[in-house]
Amino acid sequence: EKVEAMDPTELELKVERMKSRIDNYGEINPMAVEAYDEMKERHDTISAQREDIIAAKDSLIQTIKEIEETATVQFLDAFDKARIYFIDVFRSLFTEDDNCDLILLEPENPLESKIEIVAKPKGKRPQSISQLSGGEKTLTATALLFALYLLKPAPFCIFDEVDAPLDDANINKFNRIIKKFSQESQFIIVTHNKLTMAAVDTIYGVHMAEQGVSAVTPVDFRDW
């Protein structure tokens, strides 16, 4: 084999540089292979866990998307039905010429959208329901309540002095609606209004027989 001749001085410099590089490596760690294997095992385990988390995240995002799609469809269906019921009941409480509506302010994002309640009795042009009278607000709230009731009827419904702001004409409208829906639900009404008391099937009067002692007296009008 042919050996290339080198200048001794250059050769010594090269040897010194190589020795210096070797010295810079420091002492050899006899446990380096075991340490590498241990770190590699930890790295592989953490990498596998990371992949599992990423897969779980993707699955969760997909599930959330499916739930939101299903919830959106069900919400829009329920909203459309409640809107129709609201208009029907509102006009039963007011007149057929009165205008009302339920409007999604962000139809492109229905699950997060606010809902505007429009209620405009005939002859009035309120900018919002806050400009209605106390009785009109009560009837509007009652119409909305019954719209939700029609969406999912409940066996019991309790009113606590809902009729207090109503005048006699509106009391009669309120009582007609109660009578209409009482075919399928039982209504319990706390009231001080004589017209409402006269319209119910059974009345339970609370009175104080003696100081500090309350008593209840029932009257069943169905027996009369």
Side-chain angles (χ1 to χ4, degrees), residues 67-185:
I67 291 174
E68 286 184 343
E69 289 175 351
T70 301
T72 298
V73 171
Q74 292 181 349
F75 172 78
L76 289 176
D77 179 63
F79 179 82
D80 289 340
K81 290 179 180 177
R83 176 178 173 272
I84 293 173
Y85 293 145
F86 175 61
I87 294 173
D88 181 51
V89 177
F90 183 87
R91 288 175 175 170
S92 297
L93 289 171
F94 288 89
T95 70
E96 288 298 323
D97 295 327
D98 292 320
N99 184 34
C100 70
D101 208 345
L102 297 177
I103 301 173
L104 285 174
L105 297 182
E106 299 178 51
E108 70 283 354
N109 186 24
L111 297 183
E112 300 295 332
S113 174
K114 294 182 179 180
I115 299 174
E116 181 180 359
I117 302 173
V118 177
K120 296 181 178 180
K122 186 178 179 181
K124 289 192 173 184
R125 292 293 180 267
Q127 298 300 313
S128 67
I129 58 175
S130 63
Q131 295 178 342
L132 297 176
S133 67
E136 290 168 339
K137 289 179 183 177
T138 299
L139 290 180
T140 301
T142 302
L144 183 58
L145 175 65
F146 276 114
L148 299 178
Y149 160 84
L150 290 170
L151 191 64
K152 191 175 182 179
F156 291 94
C157 186
I158 301 176
F159 289 110
D160 187 2
E161 297 191 41
V162 172
D163 55 357
L166 303 179
D167 57 23
D168 289 350
N170 287 331
I171 284 286
N172 289 328
K173 293 179 180 179
F174 173 78
N175 290 334
R176 282 201 301 270
I177 289 292
I178 295 295
K179 282 284 187 182
K180 177 180 179 180
F181 293 113
S182 64
Q183 304 301 318
E184 298 181 10
S185 292

Side-chain angles (χ1 to χ4, degrees), residues 30-39:
M31 302 297 292
V33 175
E34 288 81 355
Y36 168 77
D37 291 339
E38 181 182 349
M39 294 182 67

Side-chain angles (χ1 to χ4, degrees), residues 14-35:
K14 189 172 183 181
V15 170
E16 288 299 327
R17 284 196 298 268
M18 294 184 71
K19 284 182 178 181
S20 178
R21 290 181 63 186
I22 292 173
D23 291 340
N24 288 335
Y25 286 139
E27 295 182 4
I28 296 175
N29 181 8
M31 302 297 292
V33 175
E34 288 81 355

